[in-house]
């Protein structure tokens, strides 16, 4: 069965259920080891969260600005390259990292929740017998991980989108003063004034994007690593950085290519006015209808080039760092025996 792994495929020196990225594959034999595995899962999320923010935030800034700018003839940017040029010209390189404080802090918790929940899922699926998982099941781990962390990521994305929209409005109207000058002011004031919607607007398309994309994100990563290990006749942990980077990049490209229309809907809703009287979109279905009316199918591809440019390096770094931290951490904690 090409969709199921086996001990032969993973190399003779490795437990056939072993998945360094996705929880180690070995059921901890005591509460101490279980705690160690959880700690390593969380640490891998912290480390990969820093890496993906440094690499990916400039692209995220460009993507959101392209997605949320006004329609022609009032648009500000004529595509990805023009957005890069104008952002640096008007704000300097620091403009690419505008609003990075919130994503950096939130990424630490977001990615930790992602890799912890995924690790817990895989350990549970393998059970006491430590059975090998199929690639479909590894993809299922991605659904669990991305679906669970939507609760953390959605507020992050709402804050980031509101900051980017405020910047665009200032470019169009120099007299405009944002209601919340920064992410921390937004986090403190918006939920009090506008309620939970200010943090969870667009949660439905957000969850759809994460759940569908998560399957391919983690599934592709495990598939490439394990098939490489099979061809080389080595353990998955010995496939090398190249295979990890490739797996992460492919997983990222699949995630965004498949789910990008949902992301456009999500961004439109999260960048909408907080005041109900000023809102443009009322729910997911209404947003889809209005976006389609604005530009048909092509409206759902706006900003895709920026997103794709981000997905390759960001996801390569994200999954490679997480895998490496888990490899070292599990071995140090005695969770693995190589």
């Amino acid at each position: 069965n090409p969709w199921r792994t086996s001990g032969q495929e993973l190399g003779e020196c490795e437990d056939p259920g072993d998945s360094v990225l996705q929880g180690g594959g070995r059921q901890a034999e005591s509460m101490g080891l279980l705690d160690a595995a959880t700690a390593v899962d969380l640490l891998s999320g912290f480390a990969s969260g820093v890496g993906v923010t440094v690499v990916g935030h400039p692209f995220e800034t460009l993507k959101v600005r392209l997605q949320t700018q006004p329609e022609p003839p009032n648009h500000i940017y004529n595509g990805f390259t023009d957005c890069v040029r104008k952002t640096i010209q008007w704000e300097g390189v620091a403009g690419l990292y505008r609003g990075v404080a919130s994503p950096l802090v939130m990424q630490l918790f977001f990615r930790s929740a992602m890799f912890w929940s995924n690790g817990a899922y895989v350990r549970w699926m393998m059970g006491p017998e430590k059975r090998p998982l199929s690639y479909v099941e590894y993809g299922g781990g991605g659904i669990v991980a991305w679906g669970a962390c939507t609760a953390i990521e959605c507020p992050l994305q709402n804050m980031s989108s509101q900051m980017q929209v405020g910047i665009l409005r200032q470019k169009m109207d120099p007299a405009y003063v944002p209601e919340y000058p920064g992410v921390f002011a937004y986090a403190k004031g918006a939920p009090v004034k506008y309620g939970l919607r200010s943090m969870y607007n667009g949660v439905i398309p957000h969850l759809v994007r994460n759940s569908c994309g998560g399957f391919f994100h983690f599934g592709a990563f495990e598939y490439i690593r394990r098939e490489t290990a099979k061809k080389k006749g080595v353990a998955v942990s010995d496939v090398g950085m190249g295979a990890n980077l490739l797996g992460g990049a492919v997983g990222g490209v699949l995630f965004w290519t498949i789910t990008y229309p949902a992301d456009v809907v999500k961004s439109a809703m999260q960048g909408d006015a907080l005041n109900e009287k000023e809102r443009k979109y009322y729910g997911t279905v209404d947003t889809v209808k209005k976006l389609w009316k604005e530009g048909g199918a092509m409206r759902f591809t706006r900003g895709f080039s920026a997103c794709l440019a981000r997905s390759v390096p960001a996801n390569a770094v994200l999954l490679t760092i997480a895998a490496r931290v888990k490899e070292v951490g599990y071995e140090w904690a005695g969770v693995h025996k190589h």
Side-chain angles (χ1 to χ4, degrees):
N1 183 349
W3 293 101
R4 180 166 291 280
T5 60
S6 69
Q8 181 72 29
E9 292 175 338
L10 299 181
E12 297 299 331
C13 61
E14 183 175 43
D15 187 309
D18 183 26
S19 170
V20 172
L21 172 64
Q22 305 204 40
R26 284 185 177 274
Q27 188 81 0
E29 296 177 0
S30 70
M31 181 58 72
L33 286 181
L34 181 60
D35 288 345
T38 299
V40 172
D41 290 342
L42 295 173
L43 180 60
S44 71
F46 268 67
S48 60
V50 172
V52 76
T53 301
V54 172
V55 174
H57 188 75
F59 295 100
E60 181 67 18
T61 296
L62 299 170
K63 176 179 75 72
V64 172
R65 292 187 180 189
L66 288 167
Q67 286 181 340
T68 56
Q69 69 171 330
E71 288 298 304
N74 298 317
H75 63 292
I76 300 174
Y77 310 112
N78 296 309
F80 175 66
T81 303
D82 186 57
C83 187
V84 174
R85 181 182 64 81
K86 287 180 177 176
T87 298
I88 295 177
Q89 178 183 338
W90 294 339
E91 306 169 51
V93 176
L96 296 172
Y97 285 92
R98 181 69 65 89
V100 73
S102 172
L104 180 58
V105 173
M106 294 294 286
Q107 282 282 352
L108 301 181
F109 296 98
F110 165 45
R111 300 300 177 181
S112 294
M114 172 185 289
F115 290 113
W116 169 78
S117 59
N118 187 264
Y121 161 87
V122 172
R123 285 191 288 271
W124 176 73
M125 287 291 290
M126 288 179 172
E129 67 276 16
K130 306 178 183 68
R131 71 174 182 86
L133 301 187
S134 70
Y135 292 125
V136 171
E137 288 171 321
Y138 281 124
I143 295 175
V144 170
W146 275 98
C149 68
T150 301
I152 297 175
E153 189 186 28
C154 193
L156 163 67
Q157 291 289 299
N158 269 278
M159 289 187 283
S160 177
S161 294
Q162 288 294 322
M163 294 303 102
Q164 299 301 334
V165 169
I167 293 171
L168 291 179
R169 290 189 64 177
Q170 284 181 312
K171 297 302 178 184
M172 298 175 63
D173 179 11
Y176 172 76
V177 178
E179 183 175 6
Y180 301 105
V183 292
F184 295 110
Y186 182 95
K188 181 179 180 180
V192 175
K193 184 175 181 179
Y194 298 105
L196 195 62
R197 187 182 66 80
S198 65
M199 303 298 280
Y200 284 95
N201 196 20
V203 68
I204 293 178
H206 201 147
L207 183 60
V208 170
R209 185 202 73 174
N210 281 1
S211 298
C212 295
F215 177 87
F216 295 95
H217 190 227
F218 280 81
F221 183 73
E222 283 297 331
Y223 178 81
I224 289 175
R225 296 173 78 228
R226 291 175 177 280
E227 289 301 304
T228 301
K230 180 176 68 173
K231 291 178 180 178
K232 291 184 175 182
V234 299
V236 174
S237 57
D238 294 328
V239 296
M241 183 176 293
N244 287 325
L245 290 171
L246 177 62
V250 171
V253 169
L254 288 175
F255 181 105
W256 289 105
T257 301
I258 292 168
T259 66
Y260 195 75
D263 186 70
V264 172
V265 176
K266 174 196 74 70
S267 293
M269 296 177 69
Q270 292 174 347
D272 200 7
L274 295 174
N275 190 322
E276 188 171 357
K277 295 181 180 179
E278 300 175 0
R279 286 172 61 188
K280 181 178 181 180
Y281 306 112
Y282 295 88
T284 303
V285 175
D286 181 64
T287 304
V288 172
K289 290 180 178 178
K290 289 178 178 177
L291 290 176
W292 182 272
K293 188 176 181 180
E294 287 179 8
M298 293 302 295
R299 179 62 180 86
F300 296 89
T301 65
R302 182 186 293 177
F304 181 65
S305 56
C307 178
L308 201 60
R310 173 189 182 275
S311 69
V312 173
N315 287 283
V317 168
L318 171 72
L319 295 180
T320 297
I321 289 178
R324 184 54 183 161
V325 169
K326 287 198 173 190
E327 288 169 358
V328 174
Y330 285 137
E331 185 172 9
W332 176 81
V335 179
H336 280 278
K337 293 181 179 180
H338 293 289

